[in-house]
Coordinates of all heavy atoms in Angstrom, one line a residue:
M188 N 27.4 -79.6 -112.8 CA 26.9 -79.3 -111.4 C 28.1 -78.6 -110.7 O 29.2 -79.1 -110.6 CB 26.5 -80.5 -110.7 CG 26.1 -80.2 -109.2 SD 25.4 -81.5 -108.3 CE 26.6 -82.7 -108.3
I189 N 27.9 -77.4 -110.2 CA 28.9 -76.7 -109.4 C 28.9 -77.2 -108.0 O 27.9 -77.2 -107.3 CB 28.6 -75.2 -109.5 CG1 28.8 -74.7 -110.9 CG2 29.6 -74.5 -108.5 CD1 28.5 -73.2 -111.1
T190 N 30.1 -77.6 -107.5 CA 30.2 -78.1 -106.2 C 31.2 -77.2 -105.4 O 31.3 -77.4 -104.2 CB 30.7 -79.5 -106.1 OG1 31.9 -79.7 -106.8 CG2 29.6 -80.4 -106.7
H191 N 31.9 -76.3 -106.1 CA 32.8 -75.4 -105.3 C 32.0 -74.2 -104.8 O 30.9 -74.0 -105.2 CB 34.0 -74.9 -106.2 CG 33.6 -74.1 -107.4 ND1 33.2 -74.7 -108.6 CD2 33.4 -72.8 -107.5 CE1 32.9 -73.7 -109.5 NE2 33.0 -72.5 -108.8
T192 N 32.7 -73.4 -104.0 CA 32.0 -72.2 -103.4 C 31.7 -71.2 -104.5 O 32.7 -70.8 -105.1 CB 32.9 -71.6 -102.3 OG1 33.2 -72.6 -101.3 CG2 32.1 -70.5 -101.6
E193 N 30.5 -70.9 -104.7 CA 30.1 -70.0 -105.8 C 30.2 -68.6 -105.4 O 29.9 -68.2 -104.2 CB 28.6 -70.3 -106.3 CG 28.5 -71.4 -107.2 CD 27.1 -71.5 -107.8 OE1 26.9 -70.8 -108.8 OE2 26.3 -72.2 -107.3
G194 N 30.6 -67.7 -106.3 CA 30.7 -66.3 -106.0 C 32.1 -65.8 -106.5 O 32.8 -66.5 -107.2
K195 N 32.4 -64.6 -106.2 CA 33.6 -63.9 -106.6 C 34.7 -64.3 -105.7 O 34.7 -64.0 -104.5 CB 33.4 -62.4 -106.6 CG 34.6 -61.7 -107.0 CD 34.3 -60.2 -107.0 CE 35.6 -59.4 -107.3 NZ 35.4 -58.0 -107.1
W196 N 35.7 -65.0 -106.2 CA 36.9 -65.3 -105.5 C 37.9 -64.2 -105.6 O 38.2 -63.7 -106.8 CB 37.5 -66.6 -106.0 CG 36.8 -67.9 -105.6 CD1 35.4 -68.0 -105.4 CD2 37.3 -69.2 -105.5 NE1 35.1 -69.3 -105.1 CE2 36.2 -70.1 -105.2 CE3 38.5 -69.7 -105.7 CZ2 36.4 -71.4 -105.1 CZ3 38.7 -71.1 -105.5 CH2 37.6 -71.9 -105.2
E197 N 38.5 -63.8 -104.5 CA 39.5 -62.7 -104.6 C 40.6 -62.9 -103.5 O 40.4 -63.6 -102.6 CB 38.9 -61.3 -104.5 CG 38.1 -61.1 -103.3 CD 37.2 -59.9 -103.4 OE1 37.6 -58.9 -104.0 OE2 36.2 -59.8 -102.7
V198 N 41.7 -62.2 -103.8 CA 42.8 -62.3 -102.8 C 42.8 -61.1 -101.9 O 42.7 -59.9 -102.4 CB 44.2 -62.3 -103.6 CG1 45.4 -62.3 -102.6 CG2 44.3 -63.5 -104.5
K199 N 42.8 -61.3 -100.6 CA 42.9 -60.2 -99.6 C 44.2 -60.4 -98.9 O 44.7 -61.5 -98.7 CB 41.7 -60.3 -98.6 CG 40.4 -60.2 -99.2 CD 40.1 -58.8 -99.7 CE 38.7 -58.7 -100.2 NZ 38.4 -57.4 -100.6
E200 N 44.8 -59.3 -98.5 CA 46.1 -59.4 -97.8 C 46.0 -58.8 -96.4 O 45.4 -57.7 -96.3 CB 47.2 -58.6 -98.6 CG 48.6 -58.7 -98.1 CD 49.6 -58.2 -99.0 OE1 49.3 -57.6 -100.1 OE2 50.8 -58.3 -98.6
S201 N 46.6 -59.4 -95.5 CA 46.6 -59.0 -94.1 C 47.9 -59.5 -93.4 O 48.0 -60.7 -93.4 CB 45.4 -59.4 -93.3 OG 45.4 -58.9 -92.0
D202 N 48.7 -58.7 -92.9 CA 49.9 -59.1 -92.2 C 50.8 -60.1 -92.9 O 51.3 -61.0 -92.4 CB 49.5 -59.7 -90.8 CG 48.8 -58.7 -89.9 OD1 49.2 -57.5 -89.9 OD2 47.9 -59.1 -89.1
G203 N 50.9 -59.8 -94.2 CA 51.8 -60.7 -95.0 C 51.2 -62.0 -95.5 O 51.8 -62.8 -96.2
V204 N 49.9 -62.3 -95.1 CA 49.3 -63.5 -95.5 C 48.2 -63.1 -96.6 O 47.5 -62.2 -96.4 CB 48.6 -64.2 -94.3 CG1 47.8 -65.4 -94.7 CG2 49.6 -64.6 -93.2
L205 N 48.3 -63.9 -97.6 CA 47.3 -63.7 -98.7 C 46.2 -64.7 -98.5 O 46.4 -65.9 -98.4 CB 48.0 -63.9 -100.0 CG 49.1 -63.0 -100.3 CD1 49.8 -63.4 -101.6 CD2 48.7 -61.5 -100.4
T206 N 45.0 -64.2 -98.4 CA 43.8 -65.1 -98.1 C 42.9 -65.0 -99.3 O 42.5 -63.9 -99.8 CB 43.1 -64.7 -96.9 OG1 44.0 -64.8 -95.8 CG2 41.9 -65.5 -96.6
I207 N 42.5 -66.2 -99.8 CA 41.5 -66.2 -100.9 C 40.1 -66.4 -100.2 O 39.9 -67.3 -99.5 CB 41.7 -67.4 -101.9 CG1 43.1 -67.2 -102.7 CG2 40.6 -67.5 -102.9 CD1 44.2 -67.7 -102.0
V208 N 39.3 -65.4 -100.5 CA 37.9 -65.4 -100.0 C 36.9 -65.4 -101.1 O 37.2 -64.9 -102.2 CB 37.7 -64.2 -99.0 CG1 38.5 -64.3 -97.8 CG2 37.8 -62.9 -99.7
C209 N 35.7 -65.8 -100.9 CA 34.6 -65.8 -101.8 C 33.5 -65.0 -101.3 O 33.1 -65.2 -100.1 CB 34.2 -67.2 -102.1 SG 32.7 -67.3 -103.1
T210 N 33.0 -64.1 -102.1 CA 31.8 -63.3 -101.7 C 30.7 -63.8 -102.5 O 30.7 -63.7 -103.8 CB 32.1 -61.8 -101.9 OG1 33.3 -61.4 -101.2 CG2 30.9 -61.0 -101.4
D211 N 29.6 -64.3 -101.9 CA 28.5 -64.8 -102.6 C 27.5 -63.7 -103.0 O 27.7 -62.5 -102.7 CB 27.8 -65.9 -101.9 CG 27.0 -65.5 -100.7 OD1 26.8 -64.3 -100.4 OD2 26.5 -66.4 -100.0
L212 N 26.4 -64.0 -103.6 CA 25.5 -63.0 -104.1 C 24.8 -62.3 -102.9 O 24.2 -61.2 -103.1 CB 24.4 -63.7 -105.0 CG 25.0 -64.2 -106.3 CD1 23.9 -65.0 -107.1 CD2 25.6 -63.1 -107.2
N213 N 24.8 -62.9 -101.8 CA 24.2 -62.3 -100.6 C 25.2 -61.5 -99.8 O 25.0 -61.2 -98.6 CB 23.5 -63.3 -99.7 CG 22.3 -63.9 -100.4 OD1 21.5 -63.3 -101.0 ND2 22.2 -65.3 -100.4
N214 N 26.4 -61.3 -100.4 CA 27.5 -60.6 -99.7 C 28.1 -61.3 -98.5 O 28.7 -60.6 -97.7 CB 27.1 -59.1 -99.4 CG 28.3 -58.2 -99.5 OD1 29.2 -58.4 -100.3 ND2 28.3 -57.2 -98.7
R215 N 27.9 -62.6 -98.4 CA 28.5 -63.4 -97.4 C 29.9 -63.8 -97.8 O 30.1 -64.1 -99.0 CB 27.7 -64.6 -97.1 CG 26.4 -64.3 -96.4 CD 25.6 -65.6 -96.2 NE 25.3 -66.2 -97.5 CZ 24.2 -66.9 -97.8 NH1 23.3 -67.2 -96.8 NH2 24.0 -67.4 -99.0
K216 N 30.9 -63.8 -96.9 CA 32.2 -64.1 -97.2 C 32.6 -65.5 -96.8 O 32.2 -65.9 -95.7 CB 33.2 -63.1 -96.6 CG 33.0 -61.7 -97.1 CD 34.3 -61.0 -97.3 CE 34.1 -59.6 -97.8 NZ 33.8 -59.4 -99.2
Y217 N 33.3 -66.3 -97.6 CA 33.7 -67.6 -97.3 C 35.2 -67.7 -97.5 O 35.7 -67.2 -98.4 CB 33.0 -68.6 -98.2 CG 31.5 -68.7 -98.0 CD1 30.7 -67.8 -98.8 CD2 30.9 -69.5 -97.1 CE1 29.3 -67.9 -98.6 CE2 29.5 -69.5 -97.0 CZ 28.7 -68.7 -97.7 OH 27.4 -68.7 -97.6
Y218 N 35.8 -68.4 -96.5 CA 37.3 -68.6 -96.6 C 37.5 -69.7 -97.6 O 36.9 -70.8 -97.5 CB 37.8 -69.0 -95.2 CG 39.1 -69.6 -95.1 CD1 40.2 -68.7 -95.1 CD2 39.3 -70.9 -95.1 CE1 41.5 -69.3 -95.0 CE2 40.6 -71.5 -95.1 CZ 41.7 -70.6 -95.0 OH 43.0 -71.2 -95.0
I219 N 38.5 -69.5 -98.4 CA 38.9 -70.6 -99.4 C 40.3 -71.1 -99.0 O 40.4 -72.3 -98.8 CB 39.0 -70.1 -100.8 CG1 37.6 -69.5 -101.3 CG2 39.4 -71.2 -101.8 CD1 36.5 -70.4 -101.3
A220 N 41.3 -70.2 -98.8 CA 42.6 -70.7 -98.5 C 43.5 -69.6 -98.1 O 43.2 -68.4 -98.5 CB 43.2 -71.4 -99.7
D221 N 44.6 -69.9 -97.4 CA 45.7 -68.9 -97.1 C 46.9 -69.3 -97.9 O 47.1 -70.5 -98.1 CB 46.1 -68.9 -95.6 CG 45.1 -68.2 -94.7 OD1 44.3 -67.3 -95.2 OD2 45.0 -68.5 -93.5
V222 N 47.6 -68.3 -98.4 CA 48.8 -68.6 -99.1 C 49.9 -67.6 -98.5 O 49.7 -66.4 -98.4 CB 48.7 -68.3 -100.6 CG1 50.0 -68.5 -101.4 CG2 47.6 -69.1 -101.2
N223 N 51.0 -68.2 -98.0 CA 52.0 -67.4 -97.5 C 53.4 -68.1 -97.6 O 53.4 -69.2 -98.1 CB 51.8 -67.0 -96.0 CG 51.6 -68.2 -95.1 OD1 52.1 -69.3 -95.4 ND2 50.9 -68.0 -94.0
G224 N 54.4 -67.4 -97.3 CA 55.7 -67.9 -97.3 C 56.8 -66.9 -97.0 O 56.4 -65.8 -96.6
D225 N 58.0 -67.3 -97.1 CA 59.1 -66.4 -96.8 C 59.1 -65.2 -97.7 O 58.7 -65.3 -98.9 CB 60.4 -67.3 -97.0 CG 61.6 -66.5 -96.6 OD1 62.0 -65.6 -97.3 OD2 62.2 -66.9 -95.5
A226 N 59.5 -64.1 -97.2 CA 59.5 -62.8 -98.0 C 60.3 -63.0 -99.3 O 60.0 -62.3 -100.3 CB 60.0 -61.7 -97.1
D227 N 61.3 -63.8 -99.3 CA 62.1 -64.0 -100.5 C 61.3 -64.6 -101.6 O 61.6 -64.5 -102.8 CB 63.3 -64.9 -100.2 CG 64.3 -64.3 -99.3 OD1 64.3 -63.0 -99.2 OD2 65.1 -65.0 -98.7
Y228 N 60.2 -65.3 -101.3 CA 59.4 -66.0 -102.3 C 58.0 -65.3 -102.5 O 57.1 -65.8 -103.1 CB 59.1 -67.4 -101.8 CG 60.4 -68.2 -101.8 CD1 61.0 -68.5 -100.6 CD2 61.0 -68.7 -102.9 CE1 62.2 -69.2 -100.5 CE2 62.2 -69.4 -102.9 CZ 62.8 -69.6 -101.7 OH 64.0 -70.3 -101.7
E229 N 57.9 -64.0 -102.0 CA 56.7 -63.3 -102.1 C 56.1 -63.2 -103.5 O 54.9 -63.5 -103.7 CB 56.9 -61.9 -101.5 CG 55.6 -61.1 -101.4 CD 55.2 -60.3 -102.6 OE1 56.0 -60.0 -103.4 OE2 54.0 -60.0 -102.7
P230 N 56.9 -63.0 -104.6 CA 56.3 -63.0 -105.9 C 55.7 -64.4 -106.2 O 54.6 -64.4 -106.9 CB 57.4 -62.7 -106.8 CG 58.4 -61.9 -106.0 CD 58.3 -62.6 -104.6
T231 N 56.3 -65.4 -105.8 CA 55.8 -66.8 -106.1 C 54.5 -67.0 -105.4 O 53.5 -67.5 -105.9 CB 56.8 -67.8 -105.7 OG1 58.0 -67.6 -106.5 CG2 56.3 -69.2 -106.0
Y232 N 54.4 -66.7 -104.1 CA 53.2 -67.0 -103.4 C 52.1 -66.1 -103.7 O 50.9 -66.5 -103.7 CB 53.3 -67.3 -101.8 CG 53.7 -66.1 -101.0 CD1 52.7 -65.2 -100.5 CD2 55.0 -65.9 -100.5 CE1 53.0 -64.2 -99.6 CE2 55.3 -64.9 -99.6 CZ 54.3 -64.0 -99.2 OH 54.6 -63.0 -98.3
R233 N 52.4 -64.9 -104.2 CA 51.4 -64.0 -104.7 C 50.8 -64.5 -106.0 O 49.6 -64.5 -106.2 CB 51.9 -62.6 -104.9 CG 50.9 -61.5 -105.3 CD 51.4 -60.1 -105.2 NE 51.8 -59.8 -103.9 CZ 51.0 -59.3 -102.9 NH1 49.7 -59.2 -103.2 NH2 51.5 -59.0 -101.7
A234 N 51.7 -65.0 -106.9 CA 51.2 -65.6 -108.1 C 50.4 -66.9 -107.8 O 49.4 -67.1 -108.5 CB 52.5 -66.0 -109.0
N235 N 50.8 -67.7 -106.9 CA 50.0 -68.8 -106.5 C 48.6 -68.4 -106.0 O 47.6 -69.0 -106.4 CB 50.6 -69.6 -105.4 CG 51.9 -70.3 -105.9 OD1 52.1 -70.5 -107.1 ND2 52.8 -70.7 -105.0
A236 N 48.5 -67.4 -105.2 CA 47.2 -66.9 -104.7 C 46.3 -66.4 -105.8 O 45.1 -66.7 -105.9 CB 47.4 -65.8 -103.7
N237 N 46.9 -65.7 -106.8 CA 46.1 -65.2 -107.9 C 45.6 -66.3 -108.8 O 44.5 -66.3 -109.2 CB 47.0 -64.3 -108.8 CG 47.3 -62.9 -108.2 OD1 46.5 -62.5 -107.3 ND2 48.4 -62.3 -108.5
L238 N 46.4 -67.4 -109.0 CA 46.0 -68.5 -109.7 C 44.9 -69.3 -109.0 O 43.9 -69.6 -109.7 CB 47.2 -69.5 -110.0 CG 46.9 -70.7 -110.8 CD1 46.5 -70.3 -112.2 CD2 48.2 -71.5 -110.9
I239 N 45.0 -69.4 -107.7 CA 43.9 -70.1 -107.0 C 42.6 -69.3 -107.1 O 41.5 -69.8 -107.4 CB 44.3 -70.3 -105.5 CG1 45.4 -71.3 -105.4 CG2 43.0 -70.7 -104.7 CD1 46.1 -71.3 -104.0
A240 N 42.7 -67.9 -106.9 CA 41.5 -67.1 -107.0 C 40.9 -67.1 -108.4 O 39.6 -66.8 -108.5 CB 41.9 -65.7 -106.5
S241 N 41.6 -67.4 -109.4 CA 41.1 -67.4 -110.7 C 40.4 -68.7 -111.1 O 39.9 -68.8 -112.2 CB 42.1 -67.0 -111.8 OG 43.1 -68.0 -111.9
A242 N 40.5 -69.7 -110.3 CA 40.0 -71.0 -110.6 C 38.6 -71.1 -111.1 O 38.3 -71.7 -112.1 CB 40.2 -72.0 -109.4
P243 N 37.6 -70.4 -110.5 CA 36.3 -70.4 -111.0 C 36.1 -69.9 -112.5 O 35.4 -70.4 -113.3 CB 35.5 -69.6 -110.1 CG 36.2 -69.7 -108.8 CD 37.7 -69.6 -109.2
E244 N 36.9 -68.8 -112.8 CA 36.8 -68.2 -114.1 C 37.5 -69.2 -115.1 O 37.0 -69.3 -116.2 CB 37.5 -66.8 -114.2 CG 36.7 -65.8 -113.5 CD 37.0 -65.6 -112.0 OE1 37.6 -66.5 -111.4 OE2 36.5 -64.6 -111.4
L245 N 38.6 -69.8 -114.7 CA 39.3 -70.7 -115.6 C 38.4 -71.9 -115.9 O 38.3 -72.4 -117.0 CB 40.6 -71.1 -115.0 CG 41.7 -70.0 -115.0 CD1 42.8 -70.4 -114.1 CD2 42.1 -69.6 -116.4
L246 N 37.7 -72.4 -114.8 CA 36.8 -73.5 -115.0 C 35.7 -73.2 -115.9 O 35.3 -73.9 -116.8 CB 36.3 -74.0 -113.6 CG 35.2 -75.1 -113.7 CD1 35.8 -76.4 -114.3 CD2 34.7 -75.4 -112.3
A247 N 35.1 -72.0 -115.7 CA 33.9 -71.6 -116.6 C 34.4 -71.5 -118.0 O 33.6 -71.9 -118.9 CB 33.4 -70.2 -116.1
F248 N 35.6 -70.9 -118.3 CA 36.0 -70.9 -119.6 C 36.2 -72.3 -120.2 O 35.8 -72.5 -121.4 CB 37.4 -70.1 -119.7 CG 38.0 -70.3 -121.1 CD1 37.5 -69.6 -122.2 CD2 39.1 -71.1 -121.3 CE1 38.0 -69.8 -123.5 CE2 39.6 -71.3 -122.5 CZ 39.1 -70.7 -123.6
A249 N 36.9 -73.2 -119.5 CA 37.1 -74.5 -120.0 C 35.8 -75.2 -120.3 O 35.6 -75.9 -121.3 CB 37.9 -75.3 -118.9
Q250 N 34.8 -75.0 -119.4 CA 33.5 -75.7 -119.7 C 32.8 -75.1 -120.9 O 32.3 -75.8 -121.8 CB 32.5 -75.4 -118.5 CG 33.0 -76.2 -117.3 CD 32.2 -75.8 -116.0 OE1 31.9 -74.7 -115.8 NE2 32.0 -76.8 -115.1
K251 N 32.9 -73.8 -121.1 CA 32.3 -73.1 -122.3 C 33.1 -73.6 -123.6 O 32.5 -73.8 -124.6 CB 32.4 -71.6 -122.2 CG 31.6 -70.8 -123.2 CD 30.2 -71.0 -123.1 CE 29.6 -70.1 -122.1 NZ 28.1 -70.1 -122.1
W252 N 34.4 -73.8 -123.5 CA 35.2 -74.2 -124.6 C 34.8 -75.6 -125.0 O 34.6 -76.0 -126.2 CB 36.7 -74.2 -124.2 CG 37.6 -74.7 -125.3 CD1 38.2 -75.9 -125.4 CD2 37.9 -74.0 -126.6 NE1 38.9 -76.0 -126.6 CE2 38.7 -74.9 -127.3 CE3 37.5 -72.8 -127.1 CZ2 39.2 -74.6 -128.6 CZ3 38.0 -72.5 -128.4 CH2 38.8 -73.3 -129.1
V253 N 34.6 -76.5 -124.0 CA 34.2 -77.9 -124.3 C 32.8 -77.9 -125.0 O 32.5 -78.6 -125.9 CB 34.1 -78.7 -123.0 CG1 33.4 -80.1 -123.2 CG2 35.6 -79.0 -122.5
E254 N 31.9 -77.0 -124.5 CA 30.6 -76.9 -125.2 C 30.7 -76.5 -126.6 O 30.1 -77.1 -127.5 CB 29.7 -75.8 -124.5 CG 29.2 -76.2 -123.1 CD 28.4 -75.0 -122.5 OE1 27.8 -74.2 -123.3 OE2 28.4 -74.9 -121.3
F255 N 31.6 -75.5 -126.9 CA 31.9 -75.1 -128.2 C 32.4 -76.2 -129.1 O 32.0 -76.5 -130.2 CB 32.9 -73.9 -128.2 CG 33.4 -73.5 -129.5 CD1 32.6 -73.0 -130.5 CD2 34.8 -73.8 -129.8 CE1 33.2 -72.7 -131.8 CE2 35.3 -73.4 -131.0 CZ 34.5 -72.9 -132.0
K256 N 33.4 -76.9 -128.5 CA 34.1 -78.0 -129.3 C 33.1 -79.2 -129.5 O 33.2 -80.0 -130.4 CB 35.3 -78.5 -128.6 CG 36.4 -77.5 -128.6 CD 36.8 -77.1 -129.9 CE 37.7 -78.0 -130.7 NZ 38.2 -77.6 -132.0
N257 N 32.0 -79.3 -128.7 CA 31.0 -80.3 -128.8 C 29.9 -79.9 -129.7 O 28.9 -80.6 -129.8 CB 30.5 -80.8 -127.5 CG 31.4 -81.7 -126.7 OD1 32.2 -82.4 -127.3 ND2 31.4 -81.6 -125.4
G258 N 30.0 -78.7 -130.4 CA 29.1 -78.3 -131.4 C 28.1 -77.2 -130.9 O 27.2 -76.8 -131.7
A259 N 28.2 -76.8 -129.7 CA 27.2 -75.7 -129.3 C 27.6 -74.4 -130.0 O 28.8 -74.1 -130.2 CB 27.3 -75.5 -127.7
E260 N 26.5 -73.6 -130.3 CA 26.8 -72.3 -130.8 C 27.2 -71.4 -129.7 O 26.4 -71.2 -128.8 CB 25.5 -71.8 -131.6 CG 25.3 -72.6 -132.8 CD 24.3 -71.9 -133.7 OE1 24.1 -70.6 -133.7 OE2 23.6 -72.6 -134.4
I261 N 28.4 -70.8 -129.8 CA 28.9 -70.0 -128.7 C 29.3 -68.7 -129.3 O 29.9 -68.6 -130.4 CB 30.2 -70.6 -128.1 CG1 29.8 -72.0 -127.5 CG2 30.8 -69.7 -127.0 CD1 29.0 -72.0 -126.3
D262 N 29.0 -67.6 -128.7 CA 29.5 -66.3 -129.1 C 31.0 -66.2 -128.9 O 31.4 -66.2 -127.7 CB 28.7 -65.2 -128.2 CG 29.2 -63.8 -128.6 OD1 30.2 -63.6 -129.3 OD2 28.4 -62.8 -128.2
M263 N 31.7 -66.1 -130.0 CA 33.2 -66.2 -129.9 C 33.7 -64.9 -129.1 O 34.8 -65.0 -128.5 CB 33.8 -66.3 -131.2 CG 33.5 -67.7 -131.9 SD 33.9 -69.1 -130.8 CE 35.7 -69.0 -130.9
K264 N 33.0 -63.8 -129.2 CA 33.5 -62.6 -128.5 C 33.4 -62.9 -127.0 O 34.2 -62.5 -126.2 CB 32.7 -61.4 -128.9 CG 33.1 -60.9 -130.3 CD 32.3 -59.6 -130.6 CE 32.6 -59.2 -132.0 NZ 31.9 -58.0 -132.4
E265 N 32.3 -63.5 -126.6 CA 32.1 -63.9 -125.2 C 33.2 -64.8 -124.7 O 33.8 -64.7 -123.6 CB 30.7 -64.5 -124.9 CG 30.5 -64.9 -123.5 CD 29.2 -65.7 -123.3 OE1 28.5 -66.0 -124.3 OE2 29.0 -66.2 -122.2
L266 N 33.5 -65.8 -125.6 CA 34.5 -66.8 -125.2 C 35.9 -66.2 -125.1 O 36.6 -66.4 -124.2 CB 34.5 -67.9 -126.3 CG 35.3 -69.2 -126.0 CD1 34.6 -69.9 -124.7 CD2 35.3 -70.1 -127.2
W267 N 36.2 -65.3 -126.0 CA 37.4 -64.5 -126.0 C 37.5 -63.7 -124.7 O 38.6 -63.7 -124.0 CB 37.6 -63.7 -127.2 CG 38.8 -62.8 -127.2 CD1 39.0 -61.5 -127.0 CD2 40.2 -63.3 -127.5 NE1 40.3 -61.1 -127.1 CE2 41.0 -62.2 -127.4 CE3 40.7 -64.6 -127.9 CZ2 42.4 -62.3 -127.6 CZ3 42.1 -64.7 -128.1 CH2 42.9 -63.6 -128.0
F268 N 36.4 -63.0 -124.4 CA 36.4 -62.2 -123.2 C 36.6 -63.0 -121.9 O 37.4 -62.6 -121.0 CB 35.1 -61.4 -123.1 CG 35.0 -60.5 -121.9 CD1 35.7 -59.3 -121.9 CD2 34.3 -60.9 -120.8 CE1 35.6 -58.4 -120.8 CE2 34.2 -60.0 -119.7 CZ 34.9 -58.8 -119.7
M269 N 35.9 -64.1 -121.9 CA 36.1 -65.0 -120.7 C 37.5 -65.5 -120.6 O 38.1 -65.5 -119.5 CB 35.2 -66.3 -120.9 CG 33.7 -66.0 -120.7 SD 32.8 -67.6 -121.0 CE 33.2 -68.5 -119.5
A270 N 38.2 -65.8 -121.7 CA 39.5 -66.3 -121.6 C 40.5 -65.2 -121.2 O 41.3 -65.4 -120.3 CB 40.0 -66.8 -123.0
T271 N 40.4 -64.0 -121.8 CA 41.3 -62.9 -121.5 C 41.1 -62.5 -120.0 O 42.1 -62.2 -119.3 CB 41.1 -61.7 -122.4 OG1 39.8 -61.3 -122.4 CG2 41.5 -62.1 -123.8
Q272 N 39.9 -62.4 -119.5 CA 39.6 -62.1 -118.1 C 40.2 -63.1 -117.2 O 40.8 -62.7 -116.1 CB 38.2 -61.8 -117.9 CG 37.6 -60.6 -118.6 CD 38.3 -59.3 -118.1 OE1 38.2 -59.0 -116.9 NE2 38.9 -58.6 -119.0
A273 N 40.0 -64.4 -117.5 CA 40.5 -65.4 -116.6 C 42.0 -65.4 -116.5 O 42.6 -65.5 -115.5 CB 40.0 -66.8 -117.0
I274 N 42.6 -65.2 -117.7 CA 44.1 -65.2 -117.8 C 44.6 -64.0 -117.0 O 45.6 -64.1 -116.2 CB 44.6 -65.2 -119.2 CG1 44.3 -66.6 -119.8 CG2 46.1 -64.9 -119.3 CD1 44.5 -66.6 -121.4
A275 N 44.0 -62.8 -117.2 CA 44.5 -61.6 -116.5 C 44.4 -61.8 -115.0 O 45.3 -61.4 -114.3 CB 43.6 -60.4 -117.0
K276 N 43.3 -62.4 -114.5 CA 43.1 -62.6 -113.1 C 44.2 -63.6 -112.6 O 44.8 -63.3 -111.5 CB 41.7 -63.1 -112.8 CG 41.4 -63.2 -111.3 CD 40.0 -63.5 -111.0 CE 39.7 -63.5 -109.5 NZ 38.3 -63.8 -109.3
A277 N 44.4 -64.6 -113.3 CA 45.4 -65.6 -112.9 C 46.8 -65.0 -112.9 O 47.7 -65.3 -112.0 CB 45.4 -66.8 -113.9
E278 N 47.1 -64.0 -113.8 CA 48.4 -63.4 -113.8 C 48.5 -62.2 -112.9 O 49.5 -61.5 -112.8 CB 48.7 -62.9 -115.2 CG 48.9 -64.1 -116.2 CD 49.1 -63.7 -117.6 OE1 48.8 -62.5 -118.0 OE2 49.7 -64.5 -118.4
G279 N 47.4 -61.8 -112.2 CA 47.4 -60.7 -111.2 C 47.2 -59.4 -111.8 O 47.3 -58.4 -111.1
S280 N 46.7 -59.3 -113.1 CA 46.5 -58.0 -113.7 C 45.1 -57.7 -113.9 O 44.7 -56.7 -114.6 CB 47.3 -57.9 -115.0 OG 46.9 -59.0 -115.9
H281 N 44.2 -58.5 -113.4 CA 42.8 -58.3 -113.5 C 42.3 -57.1 -112.7 O 42.7 -56.9 -111.6 CB 42.0 -59.6 -113.0 CG 40.5 -59.5 -113.0 ND1 39.8 -59.6 -114.2 CD2 39.7 -59.2 -112.0 CE1 38.5 -59.5 -113.9 NE2 38.4 -59.3 -112.6
T282 N 41.3 -56.4 -113.3 CA 40.6 -55.4 -112.5 C 39.1 -55.7 -112.6 O 38.7 -56.5 -113.5 CB 40.8 -54.0 -113.1 OG1 40.3 -53.9 -114.4 CG2 42.3 -53.6 -113.1
D283 N 38.3 -55.1 -111.8 CA 36.8 -55.4 -111.8 C 36.2 -54.6 -112.9 O 35.0 -54.8 -113.1 CB 36.2 -55.0 -110.4 CG 36.6 -56.0 -109.4 OD1 36.8 -57.2 -109.7 OD2 36.7 -55.6 -108.2
E284 N 36.9 -53.8 -113.6 CA 36.3 -53.0 -114.7 C 36.5 -53.8 -116.0 O 37.4 -54.6 -116.1 CB 37.0 -51.7 -114.8 CG 37.0 -50.9 -113.5 CD 38.0 -49.8 -113.4 OE1 38.8 -49.6 -114.4 OE2 38.2 -49.2 -112.3
G285 N 35.6 -53.4 -116.9 CA 35.9 -53.9 -118.2 C 35.1 -55.1 -118.7 O 35.3 -55.8 -119.6

């Protein structure tokens, strides 16, 4: 059962603050979190924001992996794609294409 805010989580930037927002299927936006810090630590807080925004994809991959390990027939190409996309988003190199 999903209890977190469903939809696409992404990082938005405004005035040096990184905000994680979720856009649902009805195009409504929901606030998830703000991530900010001293300019000297900008790479760190940007990485933290990317990791937070990738949480739903990482969770979906983990759930699919557990299904596979419990004997469910899973398309391994789909599983590989889920993993690579979740990792790319967590690392900040994700695009909406592909």
Side-chain angles (χ1 to χ4, degrees):
M188 174 173 65
I189 295 176
T190 58
H191 65 271
T192 306
E193 281 192 82
K195 179 182 175 187
W196 288 26
E197 57 191 330
V198 179
K199 301 288 185 179
E200 185 171 3
S201 178
D202 297 325
V204 176
L205 302 175
T206 301
I207 294 87
V208 296
C209 173
T210 305
D211 72 8
L212 295 175
N213 295 316
N214 211 33
R215 292 179 295 213
K216 297 221 183 281
Y217 296 90
Y218 167 85
I219 303 297
D221 284 336
V222 179
N223 58 24
D225 187 285
D227 291 339
Y228 297 101
E229 190 271 339
T231 299
Y232 69 82
R233 186 170 299 279
N235 291 340
N237 289 333
L238 185 59
I239 293 166
S241 69
E244 288 89 347
L245 293 166
L246 175 61
F248 169 74
Q250 290 169 328
K251 190 67 81 169
W252 178 257
V253 168
E254 288 177 29
F255 168 70
K256 293 304 281 183
N257 285 332
E260 290 193 30
I261 302 291
D262 179 345
M263 293 307 288
K264 287 181 183 179
E265 175 189 0
L266 194 61
W267 179 257
F268 182 77
M269 288 175 72
T271 57
Q272 291 297 299
I274 291 167
K276 187 171 181 181
E278 293 177 342
S280 58
H281 175 78
T282 65
D283 288 329
E284 301 160 9

